[in-house]
PDB file of all heavy atoms in Angstrom:
ATOM      1  N   SER A 176      -9.869   4.940   1.191  1.00  0.00           N
ATOM      2  CA  SER A 176      -8.837   3.821   1.101  1.00  0.00           C
ATOM      3  C   SER A 176      -8.133   3.609   2.459  1.00  0.00           C
ATOM      4  O   SER A 176      -7.825   2.493   2.796  1.00  0.00           O
ATOM      5  CB  SER A 176      -7.792   4.053   0.001  1.00  0.00           C
ATOM      6  OG  SER A 176      -8.424   4.026  -1.318  1.00  0.00           O
ATOM      7  N   VAL A 177      -7.975   4.621   3.179  1.00  0.00           N
ATOM      8  CA  VAL A 177      -7.292   4.575   4.421  1.00  0.00           C
ATOM      9  C   VAL A 177      -8.319   4.098   5.590  1.00  0.00           C
ATOM     10  O   VAL A 177      -7.998   3.135   6.294  1.00  0.00           O
ATOM     11  CB  VAL A 177      -6.656   5.772   4.879  1.00  0.00           C
ATOM     12  CG1 VAL A 177      -6.019   5.766   6.301  1.00  0.00           C
ATOM     13  CG2 VAL A 177      -5.522   6.111   3.895  1.00  0.00           C
ATOM     14  N   ASP A 178      -9.438   4.696   5.634  1.00  0.00           N
ATOM     15  CA  ASP A 178     -10.304   4.539   6.722  1.00  0.00           C
ATOM     16  C   ASP A 178     -11.727   3.906   6.410  1.00  0.00           C
ATOM     17  O   ASP A 178     -12.540   3.725   7.364  1.00  0.00           O
ATOM     18  CB  ASP A 178     -10.506   5.896   7.474  1.00  0.00           C
ATOM     19  CG  ASP A 178      -9.298   6.396   8.140  1.00  0.00           C
ATOM     20  OD1 ASP A 178      -8.510   5.590   8.684  1.00  0.00           O
ATOM     21  OD2 ASP A 178      -9.058   7.542   8.075  1.00  0.00           O
ATOM     22  N   GLY A 179     -11.924   3.631   5.137  1.00  0.00           N
ATOM     23  CA  GLY A 179     -13.257   3.034   4.842  1.00  0.00           C
ATOM     24  C   GLY A 179     -14.377   4.086   4.776  1.00  0.00           C
ATOM     25  O   GLY A 179     -14.206   5.169   5.236  1.00  0.00           O
ATOM     26  N   TYR A 180     -15.499   3.655   4.340  1.00  0.00           N
ATOM     27  CA  TYR A 180     -16.681   4.577   4.309  1.00  0.00           C
ATOM     28  C   TYR A 180     -16.980   5.178   5.610  1.00  0.00           C
ATOM     29  O   TYR A 180     -17.181   6.364   5.739  1.00  0.00           O
ATOM     30  CB  TYR A 180     -17.828   3.825   3.658  1.00  0.00           C
ATOM     31  CG  TYR A 180     -19.135   4.647   3.538  1.00  0.00           C
ATOM     32  CD1 TYR A 180     -19.265   5.551   2.534  1.00  0.00           C
ATOM     33  CD2 TYR A 180     -20.089   4.517   4.461  1.00  0.00           C
ATOM     34  CE1 TYR A 180     -20.384   6.409   2.450  1.00  0.00           C
ATOM     35  CE2 TYR A 180     -21.252   5.351   4.460  1.00  0.00           C
ATOM     36  CZ  TYR A 180     -21.361   6.221   3.385  1.00  0.00           C
ATOM     37  OH  TYR A 180     -22.540   6.982   3.282  1.00  0.00           O
ATOM     38  N   HIS A 181     -17.156   4.332   6.625  1.00  0.00           N
ATOM     39  CA  HIS A 181     -17.697   4.928   7.945  1.00  0.00           C
ATOM     40  C   HIS A 181     -16.719   5.667   8.726  1.00  0.00           C
ATOM     41  O   HIS A 181     -17.054   6.453   9.528  1.00  0.00           O
ATOM     42  CB  HIS A 181     -18.184   3.609   8.697  1.00  0.00           C
ATOM     43  CG  HIS A 181     -19.335   2.994   8.107  1.00  0.00           C
ATOM     44  ND1 HIS A 181     -20.578   3.453   8.004  1.00  0.00           N
ATOM     45  CD2 HIS A 181     -19.379   1.585   7.624  1.00  0.00           C
ATOM     46  CE1 HIS A 181     -21.382   2.583   7.439  1.00  0.00           C
ATOM     47  NE2 HIS A 181     -20.582   1.458   7.154  1.00  0.00           N
ATOM     48  N   GLY A 182     -15.409   5.567   8.313  1.00  0.00           N
ATOM     49  CA  GLY A 182     -14.415   6.252   9.099  1.00  0.00           C
ATOM     50  C   GLY A 182     -14.116   7.717   8.504  1.00  0.00           C
ATOM     51  O   GLY A 182     -13.234   8.376   9.086  1.00  0.00           O
ATOM     52  N   VAL A 183     -14.802   8.100   7.585  1.00  0.00           N
ATOM     53  CA  VAL A 183     -14.558   9.383   6.801  1.00  0.00           C
ATOM     54  C   VAL A 183     -15.613  10.304   6.941  1.00  0.00           C
ATOM     55  O   VAL A 183     -16.776   9.996   6.865  1.00  0.00           O
ATOM     56  CB  VAL A 183     -14.216   9.104   5.247  1.00  0.00           C
ATOM     57  CG1 VAL A 183     -14.045  10.390   4.667  1.00  0.00           C
ATOM     58  CG2 VAL A 183     -13.000   8.180   5.141  1.00  0.00           C
ATOM     59  N   LYS A 184     -15.306  11.609   7.215  1.00  0.00           N
ATOM     60  CA  LYS A 184     -16.204  12.683   7.325  1.00  0.00           C
ATOM     61  C   LYS A 184     -16.040  13.617   6.126  1.00  0.00           C
ATOM     62  O   LYS A 184     -14.983  13.885   5.628  1.00  0.00           O
ATOM     63  CB  LYS A 184     -16.154  13.423   8.654  1.00  0.00           C
ATOM     64  CG  LYS A 184     -16.522  12.528   9.848  1.00  0.00           C
ATOM     65  CD  LYS A 184     -16.498  13.388  11.106  1.00  0.00           C
ATOM     66  CE  LYS A 184     -16.828  12.567  12.371  1.00  0.00           C
ATOM     67  NZ  LYS A 184     -18.139  11.879  12.297  1.00  0.00           N
ATOM     68  N   ILE A 185     -17.116  14.314   5.751  1.00  0.00           N
ATOM     69  CA  ILE A 185     -17.166  15.263   4.576  1.00  0.00           C
ATOM     70  C   ILE A 185     -16.175  16.362   4.679  1.00  0.00           C
ATOM     71  O   ILE A 185     -15.347  16.664   3.884  1.00  0.00           O
ATOM     72  CB  ILE A 185     -18.505  15.755   4.244  1.00  0.00           C
ATOM     73  CG1 ILE A 185     -19.392  14.703   3.714  1.00  0.00           C
ATOM     74  CG2 ILE A 185     -18.445  16.898   3.320  1.00  0.00           C
ATOM     75  CD1 ILE A 185     -20.920  15.070   3.486  1.00  0.00           C
ATOM     76  N   ASN A 186     -15.990  16.851   5.984  1.00  0.00           N
ATOM     77  CA  ASN A 186     -15.067  17.982   6.170  1.00  0.00           C
ATOM     78  C   ASN A 186     -13.707  17.608   6.013  1.00  0.00           C
ATOM     79  O   ASN A 186     -12.786  18.345   5.696  1.00  0.00           O
ATOM     80  CB  ASN A 186     -15.350  18.590   7.608  1.00  0.00           C
ATOM     81  CG  ASN A 186     -15.073  17.602   8.789  1.00  0.00           C
ATOM     82  OD1 ASN A 186     -14.934  16.434   8.562  1.00  0.00           O
ATOM     83  ND2 ASN A 186     -14.976  18.106   9.937  1.00  0.00           N
ATOM     84  N   ARG A 187     -13.382  16.279   6.314  1.00  0.00           N
ATOM     85  CA  ARG A 187     -11.963  15.843   6.008  1.00  0.00           C
ATOM     86  C   ARG A 187     -11.723  15.745   4.543  1.00  0.00           C
ATOM     87  O   ARG A 187     -10.616  16.133   4.080  1.00  0.00           O
ATOM     88  CB  ARG A 187     -11.806  14.377   6.598  1.00  0.00           C
ATOM     89  CG  ARG A 187     -10.473  13.712   6.266  1.00  0.00           C
ATOM     90  CD  ARG A 187     -10.464  12.410   6.844  1.00  0.00           C
ATOM     91  NE  ARG A 187      -9.306  11.635   6.371  1.00  0.00           N
ATOM     92  CZ  ARG A 187      -9.159  10.234   6.549  1.00  0.00           C
ATOM     93  NH1 ARG A 187     -10.017   9.672   7.291  1.00  0.00           N
ATOM     94  NH2 ARG A 187      -8.148   9.703   6.072  1.00  0.00           N
ATOM     95  N   ILE A 188     -12.638  15.359   3.810  1.00  0.00           N
ATOM     96  CA  ILE A 188     -12.511  15.300   2.273  1.00  0.00           C
ATOM     97  C   ILE A 188     -12.243  16.733   1.810  1.00  0.00           C
ATOM     98  O   ILE A 188     -11.345  16.979   0.966  1.00  0.00           O
ATOM     99  CB  ILE A 188     -13.727  14.638   1.686  1.00  0.00           C
ATOM    100  CG1 ILE A 188     -13.863  13.239   1.999  1.00  0.00           C
ATOM    101  CG2 ILE A 188     -13.653  14.798   0.123  1.00  0.00           C
ATOM    102  CD1 ILE A 188     -15.176  12.482   1.500  1.00  0.00           C
ATOM    103  N   CYS A 189     -13.120  17.621   2.230  1.00  0.00           N
ATOM    104  CA  CYS A 189     -12.945  19.057   1.878  1.00  0.00           C
ATOM    105  C   CYS A 189     -11.683  19.702   2.162  1.00  0.00           C
ATOM    106  O   CYS A 189     -10.943  20.351   1.428  1.00  0.00           O
ATOM    107  CB  CYS A 189     -14.067  19.887   2.436  1.00  0.00           C
ATOM    108  SG  CYS A 189     -15.767  19.434   1.802  1.00  0.00           S
ATOM    109  N   GLU A 190     -11.171  19.405   3.428  1.00  0.00           N
ATOM    110  CA  GLU A 190      -9.873  19.966   3.882  1.00  0.00           C
ATOM    111  C   GLU A 190      -8.803  19.420   3.005  1.00  0.00           C
ATOM    112  O   GLU A 190      -7.839  20.133   2.662  1.00  0.00           O
ATOM    113  CB  GLU A 190      -9.734  19.555   5.377  1.00  0.00           C
ATOM    114  CG  GLU A 190      -8.378  20.105   5.956  1.00  0.00           C
ATOM    115  CD  GLU A 190      -8.194  19.739   7.377  1.00  0.00           C
ATOM    116  OE1 GLU A 190      -9.127  19.114   7.963  1.00  0.00           O
ATOM    117  OE2 GLU A 190      -7.117  20.094   7.907  1.00  0.00           O
ATOM    118  N   SER A 191      -8.803  18.099   2.747  1.00  0.00           N
ATOM    119  CA  SER A 191      -7.763  17.519   1.892  1.00  0.00           C
ATOM    120  C   SER A 191      -7.833  18.112   0.503  1.00  0.00           C
ATOM    121  O   SER A 191      -6.737  18.332  -0.141  1.00  0.00           O
ATOM    122  CB  SER A 191      -7.916  16.031   1.899  1.00  0.00           C
ATOM    123  OG  SER A 191      -6.912  15.378   1.049  1.00  0.00           O
ATOM    124  N   ALA A 192      -9.003  18.360  -0.009  1.00  0.00           N
ATOM    125  CA  ALA A 192      -9.144  18.865  -1.432  1.00  0.00           C
ATOM    126  C   ALA A 192      -8.925  20.371  -1.501  1.00  0.00           C
ATOM    127  O   ALA A 192      -8.791  20.861  -2.509  1.00  0.00           O
ATOM    128  CB  ALA A 192     -10.592  18.500  -1.931  1.00  0.00           C
ATOM    129  N   GLY A 193      -8.803  21.012  -0.362  1.00  0.00           N
ATOM    130  CA  GLY A 193      -8.688  22.462  -0.263  1.00  0.00           C
ATOM    131  C   GLY A 193      -9.870  23.322  -0.699  1.00  0.00           C
ATOM    132  O   GLY A 193      -9.625  24.338  -1.312  1.00  0.00           O
ATOM    133  N   VAL A 194     -11.070  22.827  -0.386  1.00  0.00           N
ATOM    134  CA  VAL A 194     -12.259  23.528  -0.715  1.00  0.00           C
ATOM    135  C   VAL A 194     -13.082  23.733   0.615  1.00  0.00           C
ATOM    136  O   VAL A 194     -12.918  22.966   1.562  1.00  0.00           O
ATOM    137  CB  VAL A 194     -13.011  22.878  -1.743  1.00  0.00           C
ATOM    138  CG1 VAL A 194     -12.242  22.519  -3.011  1.00  0.00           C
ATOM    139  CG2 VAL A 194     -13.592  21.480  -1.208  1.00  0.00           C
ATOM    140  N   ALA A 195     -13.995  24.643   0.587  1.00  0.00           N
ATOM    141  CA  ALA A 195     -14.887  24.918   1.776  1.00  0.00           C
ATOM    142  C   ALA A 195     -15.919  23.785   1.713  1.00  0.00           C
ATOM    143  O   ALA A 195     -16.265  23.235   0.727  1.00  0.00           O
ATOM    144  CB  ALA A 195     -15.506  26.294   1.539  1.00  0.00           C
ATOM    145  N   ASN A 196     -16.429  23.563   3.006  1.00  0.00           N
ATOM    146  CA  ASN A 196     -17.411  22.533   3.115  1.00  0.00           C
ATOM    147  C   ASN A 196     -18.589  22.678   2.243  1.00  0.00           C
ATOM    148  O   ASN A 196     -19.152  21.719   1.684  1.00  0.00           O
ATOM    149  CB  ASN A 196     -17.809  22.390   4.610  1.00  0.00           C
ATOM    150  CG  ASN A 196     -16.791  21.785   5.408  1.00  0.00           C
ATOM    151  OD1 ASN A 196     -15.701  21.415   4.964  1.00  0.00           O
ATOM    152  ND2 ASN A 196     -17.096  21.757   6.817  1.00  0.00           N
ATOM    153  N   GLY A 197     -19.056  24.042   2.141  1.00  0.00           N
ATOM    154  CA  GLY A 197     -20.224  24.330   1.307  1.00  0.00           C
ATOM    155  C   GLY A 197     -20.058  24.010  -0.153  1.00  0.00           C
ATOM    156  O   GLY A 197     -21.001  23.695  -0.886  1.00  0.00           O
ATOM    157  N   THR A 198     -18.780  24.052  -0.600  1.00  0.00           N
ATOM    158  CA  THR A 198     -18.471  23.724  -1.993  1.00  0.00           C
ATOM    159  C   THR A 198     -18.776  22.300  -2.372  1.00  0.00           C
ATOM    160  O   THR A 198     -19.163  22.007  -3.484  1.00  0.00           O
ATOM    161  CB  THR A 198     -16.970  24.079  -2.313  1.00  0.00           C
ATOM    162  OG1 THR A 198     -16.807  25.476  -2.020  1.00  0.00           O
ATOM    163  CG2 THR A 198     -16.610  23.754  -3.850  1.00  0.00           C
ATOM    164  N   PHE A 199     -18.567  21.424  -1.417  1.00  0.00           N
ATOM    165  CA  PHE A 199     -18.713  19.996  -1.557  1.00  0.00           C
ATOM    166  C   PHE A 199     -20.161  19.749  -2.122  1.00  0.00           C
ATOM    167  O   PHE A 199     -20.311  18.882  -2.997  1.00  0.00           O
ATOM    168  CB  PHE A 199     -18.672  19.316  -0.248  1.00  0.00           C
ATOM    169  CG  PHE A 199     -18.877  17.831  -0.334  1.00  0.00           C
ATOM    170  CD1 PHE A 199     -17.922  16.849  -0.586  1.00  0.00           C
ATOM    171  CD2 PHE A 199     -20.256  17.346  -0.149  1.00  0.00           C
ATOM    172  CE1 PHE A 199     -18.225  15.498  -0.687  1.00  0.00           C
ATOM    173  CE2 PHE A 199     -20.493  15.924  -0.165  1.00  0.00           C
ATOM    174  CZ  PHE A 199     -19.451  15.131  -0.463  1.00  0.00           C
ATOM    175  N   TYR A 200     -21.154  20.480  -1.605  1.00  0.00           N
ATOM    176  CA  TYR A 200     -22.547  20.183  -1.972  1.00  0.00           C
ATOM    177  C   TYR A 200     -22.880  20.782  -3.362  1.00  0.00           C
ATOM    178  O   TYR A 200     -24.023  20.555  -3.858  1.00  0.00           O
ATOM    179  CB  TYR A 200     -23.497  20.673  -0.899  1.00  0.00           C
ATOM    180  CG  TYR A 200     -23.329  19.928   0.415  1.00  0.00           C
ATOM    181  CD1 TYR A 200     -22.550  20.501   1.411  1.00  0.00           C
ATOM    182  CD2 TYR A 200     -23.859  18.656   0.522  1.00  0.00           C
ATOM    183  CE1 TYR A 200     -22.279  19.838   2.572  1.00  0.00           C
ATOM    184  CE2 TYR A 200     -23.659  17.970   1.703  1.00  0.00           C
ATOM    185  CZ  TYR A 200     -22.839  18.489   2.712  1.00  0.00           C
ATOM    186  OH  TYR A 200     -22.688  17.795   3.868  1.00  0.00           O
ATOM    187  N   LEU A 201     -21.959  21.484  -3.952  1.00  0.00           N
ATOM    188  CA  LEU A 201     -22.212  21.879  -5.425  1.00  0.00           C
ATOM    189  C   LEU A 201     -21.908  20.776  -6.337  1.00  0.00           C
ATOM    190  O   LEU A 201     -22.275  20.731  -7.460  1.00  0.00           O
ATOM    191  CB  LEU A 201     -21.310  23.092  -5.752  1.00  0.00           C
ATOM    192  CG  LEU A 201     -21.546  24.393  -4.898  1.00  0.00           C
ATOM    193  CD1 LEU A 201     -20.513  25.382  -5.336  1.00  0.00           C
ATOM    194  CD2 LEU A 201     -22.996  24.943  -5.266  1.00  0.00           C
ATOM    195  N   TYR A 202     -21.218  19.775  -5.791  1.00  0.00           N
ATOM    196  CA  TYR A 202     -20.748  18.591  -6.590  1.00  0.00           C
ATOM    197  C   TYR A 202     -21.363  17.294  -6.256  1.00  0.00           C
ATOM    198  O   TYR A 202     -21.576  16.372  -7.124  1.00  0.00           O
ATOM    199  CB  TYR A 202     -19.214  18.522  -6.489  1.00  0.00           C
ATOM    200  CG  TYR A 202     -18.503  19.722  -7.086  1.00  0.00           C
ATOM    201  CD1 TYR A 202     -18.232  20.840  -6.342  1.00  0.00           C
ATOM    202  CD2 TYR A 202     -18.054  19.737  -8.480  1.00  0.00           C
ATOM    203  CE1 TYR A 202     -17.647  21.902  -6.854  1.00  0.00           C
ATOM    204  CE2 TYR A 202     -17.304  20.771  -8.944  1.00  0.00           C
ATOM    205  CZ  TYR A 202     -17.296  21.902  -8.121  1.00  0.00           C
ATOM    206  OH  TYR A 202     -16.592  22.997  -8.758  1.00  0.00           O
ATOM    207  N   PHE A 203     -21.667  17.085  -4.953  1.00  0.00           N
ATOM    208  CA  PHE A 203     -22.213  15.784  -4.446  1.00  0.00           C
ATOM    209  C   PHE A 203     -23.221  16.100  -3.414  1.00  0.00           C
ATOM    210  O   PHE A 203     -23.199  17.030  -2.613  1.00  0.00           O
ATOM    211  CB  PHE A 203     -21.046  14.982  -3.815  1.00  0.00           C
ATOM    212  CG  PHE A 203     -20.006  14.679  -4.838  1.00  0.00           C
ATOM    213  CD1 PHE A 203     -18.820  15.341  -4.780  1.00  0.00           C
ATOM    214  CD2 PHE A 203     -20.140  13.679  -5.752  1.00  0.00           C
ATOM    215  CE1 PHE A 203     -17.861  15.079  -5.769  1.00  0.00           C
ATOM    216  CE2 PHE A 203     -19.140  13.287  -6.660  1.00  0.00           C
ATOM    217  CZ  PHE A 203     -17.998  14.067  -6.687  1.00  0.00           C
ATOM    218  N   LYS A 204     -24.223  15.225  -3.387  1.00  0.00           N
ATOM    219  CA  LYS A 204     -25.370  15.365  -2.487  1.00  0.00           C
ATOM    220  C   LYS A 204     -24.929  14.949  -1.022  1.00  0.00           C
ATOM    221  O   LYS A 204     -25.487  15.441  -0.011  1.00  0.00           O
ATOM    222  CB  LYS A 204     -26.558  14.521  -2.919  1.00  0.00           C
ATOM    223  CG  LYS A 204     -27.140  14.913  -4.280  1.00  0.00           C
ATOM    224  CD  LYS A 204     -28.263  14.019  -4.697  1.00  0.00           C
ATOM    225  CE  LYS A 204     -28.810  14.386  -5.979  1.00  0.00           C
ATOM    226  NZ  LYS A 204     -29.928  13.454  -6.501  1.00  0.00           N
ATOM    227  N   SER A 205     -24.027  13.900  -0.892  1.00  0.00           N
ATOM    228  CA  SER A 205     -23.758  13.349   0.452  1.00  0.00           C
ATOM    229  C   SER A 205     -22.435  12.508   0.323  1.00  0.00           C
ATOM    230  O   SER A 205     -21.893  12.423  -0.853  1.00  0.00           O
ATOM    231  CB  SER A 205     -24.880  12.462   0.817  1.00  0.00           C
ATOM    232  OG  SER A 205     -25.014  11.373  -0.120  1.00  0.00           O
ATOM    233  N   LYS A 206     -22.023  12.061   1.410  1.00  0.00           N
ATOM    234  CA  LYS A 206     -20.865  11.226   1.476  1.00  0.00           C
ATOM    235  C   LYS A 206     -21.088   9.936   0.641  1.00  0.00           C
ATOM    236  O   LYS A 206     -20.218   9.439  -0.045  1.00  0.00           O
ATOM    237  CB  LYS A 206     -20.470  10.872   2.847  1.00  0.00           C
ATOM    238  CG  LYS A 206     -19.254  10.076   3.037  1.00  0.00           C
ATOM    239  CD  LYS A 206     -18.747   9.827   4.478  1.00  0.00           C
ATOM    240  CE  LYS A 206     -19.635   8.823   5.173  1.00  0.00           C
ATOM    241  NZ  LYS A 206     -19.096   8.460   6.544  1.00  0.00           N
ATOM    242  N   GLU A 207     -22.184   9.455   0.658  1.00  0.00           N
ATOM    243  CA  GLU A 207     -22.541   8.235  -0.057  1.00  0.00           C
ATOM    244  C   GLU A 207     -22.598   8.441  -1.561  1.00  0.00           C
ATOM    245  O   GLU A 207     -22.096   7.671  -2.421  1.00  0.00           O
ATOM    246  CB  GLU A 207     -24.085   7.692   0.266  1.00  0.00           C
ATOM    247  CG  GLU A 207     -24.401   6.483  -0.362  1.00  0.00           C
ATOM    248  CD  GLU A 207     -25.789   5.983  -0.076  1.00  0.00           C
ATOM    249  OE1 GLU A 207     -26.542   6.681   0.618  1.00  0.00           O
ATOM    250  OE2 GLU A 207     -26.095   4.798  -0.521  1.00  0.00           O
ATOM    251  N   ASP A 208     -22.893   9.734  -1.998  1.00  0.00           N
ATOM    252  CA  ASP A 208     -22.918  10.055  -3.289  1.00  0.00           C
ATOM    253  C   ASP A 208     -21.466  10.076  -3.839  1.00  0.00           C
ATOM    254  O   ASP A 208     -21.190   9.517  -4.973  1.00  0.00           O
ATOM    255  CB  ASP A 208     -23.507  11.417  -3.454  1.00  0.00           C
ATOM    256  CG  ASP A 208     -23.829  11.845  -4.961  1.00  0.00           C
ATOM    257  OD1 ASP A 208     -23.965  10.925  -5.768  1.00  0.00           O
ATOM    258  OD2 ASP A 208     -23.887  13.075  -5.251  1.00  0.00           O
ATOM    259  N   ILE A 209     -20.586  10.735  -3.157  1.00  0.00           N
ATOM    260  CA  ILE A 209     -19.158  10.742  -3.577  1.00  0.00           C
ATOM    261  C   ILE A 209     -18.481   9.435  -3.528  1.00  0.00           C
ATOM    262  O   ILE A 209     -17.677   8.990  -4.334  1.00  0.00           O
ATOM    263  CB  ILE A 209     -18.297  11.888  -2.839  1.00  0.00           C
ATOM    264  CG1 ILE A 209     -17.056  12.018  -3.688  1.00  0.00           C
ATOM    265  CG2 ILE A 209     -18.049  11.412  -1.366  1.00  0.00           C
ATOM    266  CD1 ILE A 209     -16.211  13.320  -3.085  1.00  0.00           C
ATOM    267  N   TYR A 210     -18.818   8.568  -2.565  1.00  0.00           N
ATOM    268  CA  TYR A 210     -18.391   7.260  -2.412  1.00  0.00           C
ATOM    269  C   TYR A 210     -18.678   6.346  -3.613  1.00  0.00           C
ATOM    270  O   TYR A 210     -17.896   5.686  -4.271  1.00  0.00           O
ATOM    271  CB  TYR A 210     -18.912   6.482  -1.145  1.00  0.00           C
ATOM    272  CG  TYR A 210     -18.172   5.208  -0.870  1.00  0.00           C
ATOM    273  CD1 TYR A 210     -16.999   5.090  -0.292  1.00  0.00           C
ATOM    274  CD2 TYR A 210     -18.815   3.971  -1.330  1.00  0.00           C
ATOM    275  CE1 TYR A 210     -16.415   3.922  -0.048  1.00  0.00           C
ATOM    276  CE2 TYR A 210     -18.153   2.806  -1.146  1.00  0.00           C
ATOM    277  CZ  TYR A 210     -17.001   2.762  -0.457  1.00  0.00           C
ATOM    278  OH  TYR A 210     -16.375   1.561  -0.257  1.00  0.00           O
ATOM    279  N   GLU A 211     -19.946   6.575  -4.043  1.00  0.00           N
ATOM    280  CA  GLU A 211     -20.477   5.885  -5.274  1.00  0.00           C
ATOM    281  C   GLU A 211     -19.676   6.256  -6.485  1.00  0.00           C
ATOM    282  O   GLU A 211     -19.363   5.495  -7.337  1.00  0.00           O
ATOM    283  CB  GLU A 211     -21.889   5.995  -5.450  1.00  0.00           C
ATOM    284  CG  GLU A 211     -22.751   5.208  -4.346  1.00  0.00           C
ATOM    285  CD  GLU A 211     -24.225   5.410  -4.502  1.00  0.00           C
ATOM    286  OE1 GLU A 211     -24.674   6.251  -5.472  1.00  0.00           O
ATOM    287  OE2 GLU A 211     -25.066   4.874  -3.736  1.00  0.00           O
TER     288      GLU A 211
END
């Protein structure tokens, strides 16, 4: 919502959610996957 799709990196999402980067891939395949 702040930076749009292209302005966001997966590690930023993980940091904000309080999870490790590797944990992200247990839930989503990619940034596009979570955006959808």
Side-chain angles (χ1 to χ4, degrees):
S176 292
V177 173
D178 294 320
Y180 177 78
H181 297 292
V183 176
K184 295 185 180 299
I185 288 176
N186 63 345
R187 174 182 167 188
I188 295 173
C189 294
E190 182 179 355
S191 180
V194 304
N196 287 0
T198 302
F199 176 90
Y200 295 99
L201 297 175
Y202 296 82
F203 300 98
K204 297 176 182 178
S205 62
K206 183 174 74 170
E207 182 179 9
D208 191 26
I209 194 171
Y210 187 83
E211 289 179 357

